[in-house]
PDB file of all heavy atoms in Angstrom:
ATOM      1  N   VAL A  11     246.704 122.033  52.371  1.00 96.00           N
ATOM      2  CA  VAL A  11     246.949 122.417  53.767  1.00 96.00           C
ATOM      3  C   VAL A  11     246.652 123.904  53.957  1.00 96.00           C
ATOM      4  O   VAL A  11     246.020 124.302  54.943  1.00 96.00           O
ATOM      5  CB  VAL A  11     248.405 122.082  54.190  1.00 96.00           C
ATOM      6  CG1 VAL A  11     248.728 122.678  55.555  1.00 96.00           C
ATOM      7  CG2 VAL A  11     248.628 120.583  54.191  1.00 96.00           C
ATOM      8  N   VAL A  12     247.083 124.725  53.001  1.00 97.00           N
ATOM      9  CA  VAL A  12     246.849 126.175  53.096  1.00 97.00           C
ATOM     10  C   VAL A  12     245.351 126.478  53.058  1.00 97.00           C
ATOM     11  O   VAL A  12     244.852 127.270  53.867  1.00 97.00           O
ATOM     12  CB  VAL A  12     247.592 126.933  51.974  1.00 97.00           C
ATOM     13  CG1 VAL A  12     247.178 128.406  51.946  1.00 97.00           C
ATOM     14  CG2 VAL A  12     249.097 126.808  52.147  1.00 97.00           C
ATOM     15  N   ILE A  13     244.631 125.844  52.152  1.00 96.00           N
ATOM     16  CA  ILE A  13     243.183 126.087  52.044  1.00 96.00           C
ATOM     17  C   ILE A  13     242.471 125.653  53.322  1.00 96.00           C
ATOM     18  O   ILE A  13     241.615 126.374  53.848  1.00 96.00           O
ATOM     19  CB  ILE A  13     242.603 125.386  50.802  1.00 96.00           C
ATOM     20  CG1 ILE A  13     243.124 126.080  49.540  1.00 96.00           C
ATOM     21  CG2 ILE A  13     241.072 125.397  50.840  1.00 96.00           C
ATOM     22  CD1 ILE A  13     242.868 125.321  48.259  1.00 96.00           C
ATOM     23  N   ASP A  14     242.828 124.489  53.849  1.00 95.00           N
ATOM     24  CA  ASP A  14     242.214 124.026  55.103  1.00 95.00           C
ATOM     25  C   ASP A  14     242.497 125.004  56.243  1.00 95.00           C
ATOM     26  O   ASP A  14     241.599 125.335  57.024  1.00 95.00           O
ATOM     27  CB  ASP A  14     242.730 122.634  55.477  1.00 95.00           C
ATOM     28  CG  ASP A  14     242.184 121.541  54.574  1.00 95.00           C
ATOM     29  OD1 ASP A  14     241.209 121.796  53.830  1.00 95.00           O
ATOM     30  OD2 ASP A  14     242.738 120.418  54.611  1.00 95.00           O
ATOM     31  N   ALA A  15     243.743 125.479  56.339  1.00 97.00           N
ATOM     32  CA  ALA A  15     244.108 126.422  57.394  1.00 97.00           C
ATOM     33  C   ALA A  15     243.367 127.750  57.213  1.00 97.00           C
ATOM     34  O   ALA A  15     242.902 128.346  58.192  1.00 97.00           O
ATOM     35  CB  ALA A  15     245.617 126.647  57.408  1.00 97.00           C
ATOM     36  N   ALA A  16     243.247 128.196  55.972  1.00 97.00           N
ATOM     37  CA  ALA A  16     242.529 129.453  55.710  1.00 97.00           C
ATOM     38  C   ALA A  16     241.054 129.321  56.099  1.00 97.00           C
ATOM     39  O   ALA A  16     240.484 130.247  56.688  1.00 97.00           O
ATOM     40  CB  ALA A  16     242.665 129.832  54.233  1.00 97.00           C
ATOM     41  N   MET A  17     240.451 128.183  55.784  1.00 95.00           N
ATOM     42  CA  MET A  17     239.043 127.961  56.159  1.00 95.00           C
ATOM     43  C   MET A  17     238.890 127.962  57.680  1.00 95.00           C
ATOM     44  O   MET A  17     237.925 128.518  58.213  1.00 95.00           O
ATOM     45  CB  MET A  17     238.536 126.670  55.556  1.00 95.00           C
ATOM     46  CG  MET A  17     238.388 126.745  54.052  1.00 95.00           C
ATOM     47  SD  MET A  17     237.813 125.185  53.364  1.00 95.00           S
ATOM     48  CE  MET A  17     236.454 125.786  52.387  1.00 95.00           C
ATOM     49  N   SER A  18     239.859 127.384  58.363  1.00 96.00           N
ATOM     50  CA  SER A  18     239.828 127.354  59.820  1.00 96.00           C
ATOM     51  C   SER A  18     239.946 128.762  60.406  1.00 96.00           C
ATOM     52  O   SER A  18     239.203 129.129  61.319  1.00 96.00           O
ATOM     53  CB  SER A  18     240.961 126.454  60.326  1.00 96.00           C
ATOM     54  OG  SER A  18     241.051 126.494  61.717  1.00 96.00           O
ATOM     55  N   VAL A  19     240.869 129.552  59.874  1.00 97.00           N
ATOM     56  CA  VAL A  19     241.028 130.939  60.330  1.00 97.00           C
ATOM     57  C   VAL A  19     239.732 131.703  60.101  1.00 97.00           C
ATOM     58  O   VAL A  19     239.233 132.391  61.006  1.00 97.00           O
ATOM     59  CB  VAL A  19     242.204 131.637  59.598  1.00 97.00           C
ATOM     60  CG1 VAL A  19     242.167 133.153  59.815  1.00 97.00           C
ATOM     61  CG2 VAL A  19     243.541 131.064  60.049  1.00 97.00           C
ATOM     62  N   HIS A  20     239.166 131.588  58.900  1.00 96.00           N
ATOM     63  CA  HIS A  20     237.941 132.331  58.579  1.00 96.00           C
ATOM     64  C   HIS A  20     236.784 131.904  59.479  1.00 96.00           C
ATOM     65  O   HIS A  20     236.008 132.739  59.948  1.00 96.00           O
ATOM     66  CB  HIS A  20     237.578 132.141  57.107  1.00 96.00           C
ATOM     67  CG  HIS A  20     236.534 133.084  56.633  1.00 96.00           C
ATOM     68  ND1 HIS A  20     235.191 132.841  56.791  1.00 96.00           N
ATOM     69  CD2 HIS A  20     236.630 134.289  56.008  1.00 96.00           C
ATOM     70  CE1 HIS A  20     234.500 133.844  56.279  1.00 96.00           C
ATOM     71  NE2 HIS A  20     235.357 134.739  55.798  1.00 96.00           N
ATOM     72  N   LYS A  21     236.688 130.618  59.730  1.00 95.00           N
ATOM     73  CA  LYS A  21     235.621 130.109  60.602  1.00 95.00           C
ATOM     74  C   LYS A  21     235.775 130.682  62.015  1.00 95.00           C
ATOM     75  O   LYS A  21     234.795 131.036  62.658  1.00 95.00           O
ATOM     76  CB  LYS A  21     235.667 128.585  60.645  1.00 95.00           C
ATOM     77  CG  LYS A  21     234.609 127.964  61.521  1.00 95.00           C
ATOM     78  CD  LYS A  21     234.741 126.455  61.543  1.00 95.00           C
ATOM     79  CE  LYS A  21     233.776 125.872  62.559  1.00 95.00           C
ATOM     80  NZ  LYS A  21     234.048 124.485  62.855  1.00 95.00           N
ATOM     81  N   ASP A  22     237.019 130.776  62.485  1.00 96.00           N
ATOM     82  CA  ASP A  22     237.272 131.246  63.849  1.00 96.00           C
ATOM     83  C   ASP A  22     237.076 132.743  64.029  1.00 96.00           C
ATOM     84  O   ASP A  22     236.585 133.176  65.069  1.00 96.00           O
ATOM     85  CB  ASP A  22     238.691 130.864  64.290  1.00 96.00           C
ATOM     86  CG  ASP A  22     238.848 129.368  64.515  1.00 96.00           C
ATOM     87  OD1 ASP A  22     237.830 128.639  64.549  1.00 96.00           O
ATOM     88  OD2 ASP A  22     240.008 128.926  64.647  1.00 96.00           O
ATOM     89  N   VAL A  23     237.477 133.555  63.050  1.00 96.00           N
ATOM     90  CA  VAL A  23     237.433 135.009  63.246  1.00 96.00           C
ATOM     91  C   VAL A  23     236.451 135.734  62.333  1.00 96.00           C
ATOM     92  O   VAL A  23     236.143 136.896  62.568  1.00 96.00           O
ATOM     93  CB  VAL A  23     238.838 135.658  63.123  1.00 96.00           C
ATOM     94  CG1 VAL A  23     239.779 135.081  64.158  1.00 96.00           C
ATOM     95  CG2 VAL A  23     239.406 135.516  61.733  1.00 96.00           C
ATOM     96  N   GLY A  24     235.972 135.062  61.282  1.00 95.00           N
ATOM     97  CA  GLY A  24     234.982 135.666  60.391  1.00 95.00           C
ATOM     98  C   GLY A  24     235.557 136.713  59.456  1.00 95.00           C
ATOM     99  O   GLY A  24     236.758 136.970  59.440  1.00 95.00           O
ATOM    100  N   PRO A  25     234.678 137.336  58.667  1.00 94.00           N
ATOM    101  CA  PRO A  25     235.111 138.367  57.708  1.00 94.00           C
ATOM    102  C   PRO A  25     235.232 139.731  58.371  1.00 94.00           C
ATOM    103  O   PRO A  25     234.836 139.912  59.518  1.00 94.00           O
ATOM    104  CB  PRO A  25     233.968 138.378  56.685  1.00 94.00           C
ATOM    105  CG  PRO A  25     232.759 138.017  57.505  1.00 94.00           C
ATOM    106  CD  PRO A  25     233.254 137.038  58.555  1.00 94.00           C
ATOM    107  N   GLY A  26     235.804 140.673  57.631  1.00 90.00           N
ATOM    108  CA  GLY A  26     235.789 142.069  58.060  1.00 90.00           C
ATOM    109  C   GLY A  26     237.047 142.589  58.713  1.00 90.00           C
ATOM    110  O   GLY A  26     237.108 143.759  59.068  1.00 90.00           O
ATOM    111  N   LEU A  27     238.045 141.720  58.878  1.00 96.00           N
ATOM    112  CA  LEU A  27     239.300 142.185  59.474  1.00 96.00           C
ATOM    113  C   LEU A  27     240.252 142.640  58.376  1.00 96.00           C
ATOM    114  O   LEU A  27     240.051 142.361  57.195  1.00 96.00           O
ATOM    115  CB  LEU A  27     239.938 141.069  60.302  1.00 96.00           C
ATOM    116  CG  LEU A  27     239.066 140.498  61.424  1.00 96.00           C
ATOM    117  CD1 LEU A  27     239.753 139.311  62.080  1.00 96.00           C
ATOM    118  CD2 LEU A  27     238.742 141.574  62.451  1.00 96.00           C
ATOM    119  N   PHE A  28     241.318 143.305  58.771  1.00 96.00           N
ATOM    120  CA  PHE A  28     242.327 143.722  57.812  1.00 96.00           C
ATOM    121  C   PHE A  28     243.078 142.506  57.276  1.00 96.00           C
ATOM    122  O   PHE A  28     243.257 141.502  57.979  1.00 96.00           O
ATOM    123  CB  PHE A  28     243.338 144.692  58.431  1.00 96.00           C
ATOM    124  CG  PHE A  28     242.801 146.073  58.668  1.00 96.00           C
ATOM    125  CD1 PHE A  28     242.772 146.607  59.940  1.00 96.00           C
ATOM    126  CD2 PHE A  28     242.335 146.847  57.610  1.00 96.00           C
ATOM    127  CE1 PHE A  28     242.284 147.887  60.160  1.00 96.00           C
ATOM    128  CE2 PHE A  28     241.853 148.117  57.815  1.00 96.00           C
ATOM    129  CZ  PHE A  28     241.821 148.641  59.091  1.00 96.00           C
ATOM    130  N   GLU A  29     243.550 142.643  56.058  1.00 96.00           N
ATOM    131  CA  GLU A  29     244.340 141.589  55.415  1.00 96.00           C
ATOM    132  C   GLU A  29     245.518 141.165  56.278  1.00 96.00           C
ATOM    133  O   GLU A  29     245.843 139.979  56.384  1.00 96.00           O
ATOM    134  CB  GLU A  29     244.825 142.111  54.061  1.00 96.00           C
ATOM    135  CG  GLU A  29     245.628 141.165  53.239  1.00 96.00           C
ATOM    136  CD  GLU A  29     246.124 141.818  51.966  1.00 96.00           C
ATOM    137  OE1 GLU A  29     245.310 142.372  51.195  1.00 96.00           O
ATOM    138  OE2 GLU A  29     247.343 141.772  51.738  1.00 96.00           O
ATOM    139  N   SER A  30     246.159 142.123  56.919  1.00 96.00           N
ATOM    140  CA  SER A  30     247.341 141.820  57.741  1.00 96.00           C
ATOM    141  C   SER A  30     247.003 140.896  58.916  1.00 96.00           C
ATOM    142  O   SER A  30     247.839 140.090  59.336  1.00 96.00           O
ATOM    143  CB  SER A  30     247.983 143.110  58.250  1.00 96.00           C
ATOM    144  OG  SER A  30     247.058 143.842  59.039  1.00 96.00           O
ATOM    145  N   VAL A  31     245.797 140.985  59.441  1.00 97.00           N
ATOM    146  CA  VAL A  31     245.377 140.102  60.534  1.00 97.00           C
ATOM    147  C   VAL A  31     245.270 138.670  60.013  1.00 97.00           C
ATOM    148  O   VAL A  31     245.784 137.731  60.636  1.00 97.00           O
ATOM    149  CB  VAL A  31     244.038 140.565  61.145  1.00 97.00           C
ATOM    150  CG1 VAL A  31     243.523 139.563  62.172  1.00 97.00           C
ATOM    151  CG2 VAL A  31     244.177 141.955  61.743  1.00 97.00           C
ATOM    152  N   TYR A  32     244.619 138.504  58.870  1.00 98.00           N
ATOM    153  CA  TYR A  32     244.490 137.161  58.290  1.00 98.00           C
ATOM    154  C   TYR A  32     245.865 136.596  57.927  1.00 98.00           C
ATOM    155  O   TYR A  32     246.121 135.409  58.114  1.00 98.00           O
ATOM    156  CB  TYR A  32     243.578 137.180  57.064  1.00 98.00           C
ATOM    157  CG  TYR A  32     242.161 137.562  57.392  1.00 98.00           C
ATOM    158  CD1 TYR A  32     241.626 138.770  56.955  1.00 98.00           C
ATOM    159  CD2 TYR A  32     241.355 136.729  58.150  1.00 98.00           C
ATOM    160  CE1 TYR A  32     240.325 139.130  57.266  1.00 98.00           C
ATOM    161  CE2 TYR A  32     240.048 137.082  58.466  1.00 98.00           C
ATOM    162  CZ  TYR A  32     239.541 138.280  58.022  1.00 98.00           C
ATOM    163  OH  TYR A  32     238.248 138.629  58.334  1.00 98.00           O
ATOM    164  N   GLU A  33     246.736 137.451  57.421  1.00 98.00           N
ATOM    165  CA  GLU A  33     248.088 137.004  57.072  1.00 98.00           C
ATOM    166  C   GLU A  33     248.817 136.464  58.299  1.00 98.00           C
ATOM    167  O   GLU A  33     249.427 135.390  58.258  1.00 98.00           O
ATOM    168  CB  GLU A  33     248.885 138.155  56.458  1.00 98.00           C
ATOM    169  CG  GLU A  33     250.302 137.784  56.125  1.00 98.00           C
ATOM    170  CD  GLU A  33     251.124 138.975  55.674  1.00 98.00           C
ATOM    171  OE1 GLU A  33     250.591 139.842  54.951  1.00 98.00           O
ATOM    172  OE2 GLU A  33     252.307 139.036  56.044  1.00 98.00           O
ATOM    173  N   THR A  34     248.752 137.195  59.390  1.00 98.00           N
ATOM    174  CA  THR A  34     249.415 136.777  60.630  1.00 98.00           C
ATOM    175  C   THR A  34     248.843 135.458  61.134  1.00 98.00           C
ATOM    176  O   THR A  34     249.589 134.530  61.479  1.00 98.00           O
ATOM    177  CB  THR A  34     249.271 137.868  61.706  1.00 98.00           C
ATOM    178  OG1 THR A  34     249.866 139.076  61.226  1.00 98.00           O
ATOM    179  CG2 THR A  34     249.926 137.452  63.008  1.00 98.00           C
TER     180      THR A  34
END
Side-chain angles (χ1 to χ4, degrees):
V11 171
V12 171
I13 291 168
D14 288 346
M17 290 179 129
S18 174
V19 167
H20 193 275
K21 180 182 173 193
D22 290 349
V23 300
L27 303 174
F28 287 120
E29 181 184 306
S30 60
V31 174
Y32 296 112
E33 178 187 322
T34 300

